[in-house]
Amino acid sequence: MYDSEEAAAQAWDKVAWVYRGKAQGLNFAHLVPEYDTEESKRVVHEMMDERMSMHKPRGKSASAAIILPRSFQSP
């Protein structure tokens, strides 16, 4: 997915910065000004939306109701 460990760490930093907004705990905190641009934020949000869409349930079971045992149901 990434060409190097450094590239993967920078990608993690961008996501962490966009969603948490804190430089604490970043691998490359000195790059925060590069992460804090509208373009960088847009790219991160698009990437995360795409990744999340791959994990959404699909098919018949996705809309099925959860049926609880009688012991969990209200009287």
Side-chain angles (χ1 to χ4, degrees), residues 14-74:
K14 286 179 186 178
V15 172
W17 174 256
V18 169
Y19 283 95
R20 290 190 322 205
K22 296 179 183 175
Q24 179 181 0
L26 298 182
N27 298 297
F28 302 98
H30 64 282
L31 295 178
V32 165
E34 292 178 28
Y35 305 156
D36 199 22
T37 65
E38 291 305 315
E39 176 67 12
S40 184
K41 291 175 185 177
R42 184 188 61 74
V43 169
V44 166
H45 284 292
E46 286 177 1
M47 178 190 67
M48 293 304 292
D49 288 346
E50 183 180 327
R51 286 178 144 297
M52 294 303 290
S53 71
M54 292 189 297
H55 298 289
K56 288 182 181 174
R58 292 185 170 81
K60 210 176 200 181
S61 63
S63 60
I66 297 172
I67 300 172
L68 298 173
R70 289 188 193 275
S71 59
F72 289 102
Q73 295 177 2
S74 305

